[in-house]
Amino acid sequence: MAEQISLKDARMLALAGQGLLASTAPKSVLETIDTLGVLQIDSVNVFERAHYMPLFSRLGAFDKAELDDLHGGKNPTLIEYWAHEAAFVRTEHYPLFGYRMEYNQRGTRERYEKWAAENREFLDWIKTEIRTRGPLSTSDFEHERAVRKGSWWGWSDVKRALEFMFMYGELVSGGRDSFSRLYALPEQVLPKRIRDKEVDPIIARKQLLVKAAQAHGVGTVKDLADYYRMNAPFVKNLIHELVEEKKLVEVKVEGWSEKAFAAKGTNFAQTEPATRTTLLSPFDPLVWFRPRSERLWDFHYRIEIYTPEPKRIFGYYSLPLLWNDRIAGRIDLKNDRQSKTLLVQSAWHEEDVPAKQLPALAKDLAAHLREAAVWQNCVSIETKQKGNLSAALAKALKAK
């Protein structure tokens, strides 16, 4: 029989699984990544890059070098791969994604396979350069085919070759240099026990699905499949097998039309109050799967980076605001590094936040922004009068 829980219980399980309750809060960068299972990387640096933000949301003003020291070089603790999008995972978990490399190599991306086959001599030249010179970034190659073809995603053939071999495991990440990925041969980075380890594709997927369930607290088939970017119809049977194997349990969540699942041993009698106020990256696992955010929090969220400015509502890079047990708003932040000013471009609360709660929300947010400013080496905070929370926030910031 399925466990039956309320929507509020589901929210609390999500916060617990994500290390956002006091009892489950991680105490270090590595412990945070162990809790999340995966840490997405993104290049946007208006406020802070995406892979540092989930750590700040759980640890507060941590030293970013603590993360930087865990990846790159020989035998790293963390390694980058397409685990969700581009993301850091424990190096020991890297073999779990072998099925993805092998699956791709069996023709699911025929256009890339055809291009690689036609350019194998060129790919081998790139590998020889890396073997001779050590891990290299795209810009380290001097070749007539290293010229970009247009802007943005107009990759050069060198970049295309590097990404192809990175996806398929011929190359691995050797770390990052000024955010540029370094590409390396597996033997330059990984110990032999990792290079030689093969995990059965079905077993690997099942292990990742259990990790996803633990990180989610409770989730639907689509929720769990998205966490490590698997095909939902394909993994549906795997999830039911995991239920039969007593590694997952079926859950009925109030208001959800689809079945949900949780890891065995999940504490459904969660009574701990949620007391955290923190901004979340758009790529934080708590909110990155937008249908889940709407189902859990009734929070409709889109990044407006790609929206023309006149059509933006909440701001270029608005960050969801977790306040206690709810997503209570979205704040558009910018770090003006030249003036060392944290700019609050706009501040919004969700429409279902009662007016009487706004002073408390603004006070808690102000305290969090002061911590964020210190973390970002800002000496002042400037609030623009845009958004239905901006006036209350400006007043709270002045009050100290």
Side-chain angles (χ1 to χ4, degrees), residues 225-380:
D226 177 77
Y227 207 78
Y228 289 105
R229 289 293 163 90
M230 300 184 204
N231 179 274
F234 179 83
V235 304
K236 186 174 182 179
N237 288 337
L238 299 184
I239 288 175
H240 287 290
E241 288 179 16
L242 286 166
V243 172
E244 292 177 1
E245 295 166 8
K246 300 189 184 305
K247 293 178 181 177
L248 296 181
V249 296
E250 188 176 318
V251 183
K252 175 63 178 176
V253 179
E254 172 194 8
W256 289 13
S257 59
E258 299 178 42
K259 292 180 181 178
F261 303 87
K264 181 183 178 182
T266 296
N267 177 17
F268 293 103
Q270 180 62 253
T271 59
E272 178 185 355
T275 59
R276 185 180 298 269
T277 299
T278 189
L279 294 168
L280 302 168
S281 162
F283 310 110
D284 191 293
L286 187 71
V287 294
W288 66 18
F289 189 44
R290 310 307 187 212
R292 176 175 169 83
S293 298
E294 294 177 25
R295 197 182 333 110
L296 260 181
W297 317 102
D298 194 23
F299 182 67
H300 184 274
Y301 176 64
R302 300 293 183 271
I303 304 174
E304 296 182 343
I305 290 176
Y306 306 111
T307 303
E309 187 172 0
K311 295 183 179 181
R312 288 178 195 147
I313 300 173
F314 299 108
Y316 179 82
Y317 198 62
S318 62
L319 306 173
L321 171 62
L322 175 66
W323 186 49
N324 300 331
D325 63 349
R326 67 198 303 179
I327 307 294
R330 51 196 95 197
I331 314 300
D332 187 19
L333 287 187
K334 178 179 179 179
N335 183 348
D336 187 336
R337 294 173 176 86
Q338 187 171 358
S339 67
K340 293 188 176 181
T341 302
L342 182 61
L343 301 175
V344 183
Q345 309 277 58
S346 66
W348 303 84
H349 66 79
E350 297 303 289
E351 294 299 332
D352 61 350
V353 178
K356 64 181 181 180
Q357 293 183 6
L358 293 184
L361 171 60
K363 180 180 178 181
D364 291 344
L365 174 58
H368 182 62
L369 289 177
R370 292 189 193 101
E371 183 182 20
V374 172
W375 182 54
Q376 289 288 297
N377 297 314
C378 293
V379 297
S380 61

Side-chain angles (χ1 to χ4, degrees), residues 81-84 96-105 108 167-168 205 208 225 228-230:
Y81 186 62
W82 293 100
H84 178 74
L96 293 177
F97 299 95
Y99 78 89
R100 184 165 293 166
M101 303 170 198
E102 184 66 20
Y103 183 60
N104 285 334
Q105 288 178 2
T108 59
M167 168 63 82
Y168 293 171
R205 288 181 174 93
L208 292 172
Y228 289 105
R229 289 293 163 90
M230 300 184 204

